[in-house]
């Protein structure tokens, strides 16, 4: 066996993999922050540029760089005044720096303590604007850091806190619009269920690794709506369900059933307040009639066993 040949092939494979990984990174050239009115201090403009670079570089799949010598490409004076970059300049900048995108940000004072930031990302190959975003920020260090991070997230369609991308996923049985990681809903988003056999219409809320988790709203095709907490795709915790016949349950859920303290509101105005188990009143509850009277009852699996107190006016 030719071990030298094997070693050479392994080295070639590693090099090719490294090149492919490097090529997958999108480089973003961040130009000087534009100030058309000439009122924003250089320190603030420098911080905006630097922080945008930091947060873009910290985003998986992206690399930002702001130490770009553009003097041979465009007039710094003209650029600082107008913020205009021609299609030819953008393409030349991409060729000289290996950038995939060019980012241009503009700052303007709103008042003595707040600025308005507007930014756009341009594709160096097409010279077209890929994304625009705006944000208002206080001029404090903490405010600029937080808002530059949010601005970078808007420009890249990504949640800079979780690293989740923002966009659409076509899953066959459903269409998802929102944040996702590794091809699975993760973060906040809306799932539209497409198959005719599915009783669900859509779910809007929080997701964790493809599962409904946290707060969210589910609407069924018959109009039934649930608003509340979820755990591993089932109703779990506090939630409110609105039924098509006008009845409402508001309270605790476990595994898609009424379980725990809650209120059942009938469509005639009557209410049952107390403990529920597996979707029915169970134990001691108070029944409130729509005429303003109430009494305590002992229920078992949704059926009255005994009246425990006299019926009285509220």
């Amino acid at each position: 066996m030719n071990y030298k040949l094997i070693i050479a092939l392994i080295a070639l494979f590693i090099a090719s993999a490294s090149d492919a990984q490097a090529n997958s990174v999108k480089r973003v050239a961040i130009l000087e922050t534009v100030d058309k009115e000439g009122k924003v201090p250089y320190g603030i403009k420098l911080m905006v540029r630097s922080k945008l670079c930091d947060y873009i570089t910290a985003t998986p799949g992206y690399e930002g760089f702001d130490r770009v010598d553009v003097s041979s490409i465009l007039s710094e004076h003209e650029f600082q005044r107008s913020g205009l970059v021609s299609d030819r300049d953008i393409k030349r900048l991409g060729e000289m720096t290996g950038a995939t995108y060019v980012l241009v940000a503009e700052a303007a004072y709103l008042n003595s303590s707040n600025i308005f930031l507007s930014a756009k990302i341009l594709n160096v190959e097409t010279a077209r604007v890929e994304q625009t975003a705006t944000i208002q920020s206080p001029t404090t260090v903490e405010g600029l850091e937080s808002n530059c991070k949010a601005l970078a997230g808007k420009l890249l369609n990504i949640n800079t806190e979780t690293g989740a991308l923002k966009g659409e996923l076509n899953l066959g049985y459903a269409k998802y619009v929102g944040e996702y990681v590794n091809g699975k809903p993760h973060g906040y988003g809306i799932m539209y269920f497409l198959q005719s056999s599915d009783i669900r219409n859509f779910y809007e809320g929080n997701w964790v690794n493809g599962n409904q988790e946290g707060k969210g709203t589910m609407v069924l095709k018959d109009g039934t709506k649930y608003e509340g907490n979820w755990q591993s795709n089932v109703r779990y915790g506090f939630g409110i369900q609105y039924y098509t016949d006008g009845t409402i349950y508001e309270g605790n859920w476990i595994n898609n059933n009424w379980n725990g303290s809650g209120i059942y509101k009938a469509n005639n105005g009557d209410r049952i307040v107390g403990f529920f188990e597996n979707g029915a009143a169970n134990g001691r509850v108070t029944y409130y009639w729509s005429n303003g009277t109430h009494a305590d009852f002992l229920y078992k699996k949704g059926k009255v066993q005994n009246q425990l107190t006299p019926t009285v006016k509220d």
Side-chain angles (χ1 to χ4, degrees):
M1 183 179 293
N2 191 332
Y3 291 101
K4 289 184 179 180
L5 178 59
I6 293 175
I7 293 173
L9 288 172
I10 293 173
L12 180 61
F13 173 79
I14 294 173
S16 298
S18 299
D19 289 342
Q21 184 176 6
N23 291 334
S24 66
V25 175
K26 299 174 182 177
R27 305 190 76 213
V28 183
I30 304 165
L31 303 187
E32 293 286 350
T33 305
V34 177
D35 172 22
K36 292 182 180 179
E37 296 180 339
K39 296 181 179 180
V40 180
Y42 176 74
I44 291 179
K45 293 190 293 183
L46 178 62
M47 186 172 181
V48 169
R49 184 184 186 191
S50 176
K51 289 302 175 183
L52 285 174
C53 181
D54 290 345
Y55 295 131
I56 287 174
T57 300
T59 301
Y62 289 89
E63 177 190 354
F65 56 102
D66 59 356
R67 298 295 182 262
V68 181
D69 181 10
V70 296
S71 60
S72 61
I73 304 173
L74 52 101
S75 166
E76 277 291 320
H77 176 74
E78 176 63 20
F79 170 71
Q80 289 291 351
R81 187 184 66 80
S82 66
L84 297 176
V85 186
S86 70
D87 293 357
R88 181 170 173 270
D89 292 335
I90 294 170
K91 292 178 179 179
R92 286 182 60 195
L93 183 57
E95 292 171 357
M96 294 180 64
T97 63
T100 312
Y101 300 105
V102 172
L103 189 157
V104 180
E106 181 178 349
Y109 264 120
L110 290 174
N111 51 51
S112 59
S113 57
N114 291 277
I115 61 173
F116 181 78
L117 295 174
S118 174
K120 58 185 176 182
I121 282 185
L122 303 99
N123 188 307
V124 298
E125 291 186 2
T126 63
R128 295 181 61 181
V129 175
E130 293 282 329
Q131 189 67 273
T132 62
T134 60
I135 203 163
Q136 181 179 330
S137 174
T139 54
T140 61
V141 173
E142 295 80 7
L144 285 170
E145 286 183 344
S146 174
N147 285 288
C148 284
K149 187 173 186 178
L151 189 63
K154 289 182 178 181
L155 288 169
L156 302 180
N157 281 327
I158 194 168
N159 186 323
T160 51
E161 296 292 338
T162 65
L165 297 171
K166 297 178 182 180
E168 294 186 6
L169 295 175
N170 292 310
L171 305 175
Y173 65 93
K175 176 183 177 181
Y176 174 78
V177 180
E179 298 177 343
Y180 62 92
V181 173
N182 296 327
K184 294 181 180 180
H186 189 89
Y188 189 88
I190 306 176
M191 181 82 80
Y192 300 95
F193 299 93
L194 305 176
Q195 291 185 354
S196 59
S197 59
D198 201 314
I199 65 170
R200 298 168 294 180
N201 193 347
F202 71 88
Y203 167 85
E204 178 177 2
N206 293 307
W207 299 79
V208 175
N209 197 29
N211 294 318
Q212 296 159 215
E213 196 85 24
K215 292 185 177 180
T217 299
M218 173 74 82
V219 176
L220 305 185
K221 288 185 176 180
D222 66 0
T224 301
K225 181 171 76 171
Y226 171 84
E227 298 175 335
N229 291 308
W230 297 78
Q231 182 175 308
S232 299
N233 296 321
V234 298
R235 302 165 181 84
Y236 204 105
F238 180 81
I240 305 173
Q241 182 139 319
Y242 303 87
Y243 295 90
T244 55
D245 63 358
T247 59
I248 300 171
Y249 172 77
E250 177 179 346
N252 199 64
W253 295 72
I254 297 177
N255 294 330
N256 280 333
N257 264 323
W258 313 349
N259 277 283
S261 299
I263 304 172
Y264 171 77
K265 301 176 182 179
N267 53 19
N268 63 358
D270 292 353
R271 292 178 294 133
I272 298 175
V273 180
F275 191 83
F276 295 80
E277 186 173 352
N278 295 325
N282 200 67
R284 186 181 184 120
V285 303
T286 302
Y287 196 105
Y288 294 87
W289 285 273
S290 60
N291 63 7
T293 59
H294 72 272
D296 288 353
F297 290 87
L298 178 65
Y299 269 69
K300 185 176 182 181
K301 297 181 178 180
K303 295 182 179 181
V304 176
Q305 303 299 302
N306 295 302
Q307 182 169 339
L308 303 177
T309 63
T311 301
V312 296
K313 276 284 187 181
D314 292 345

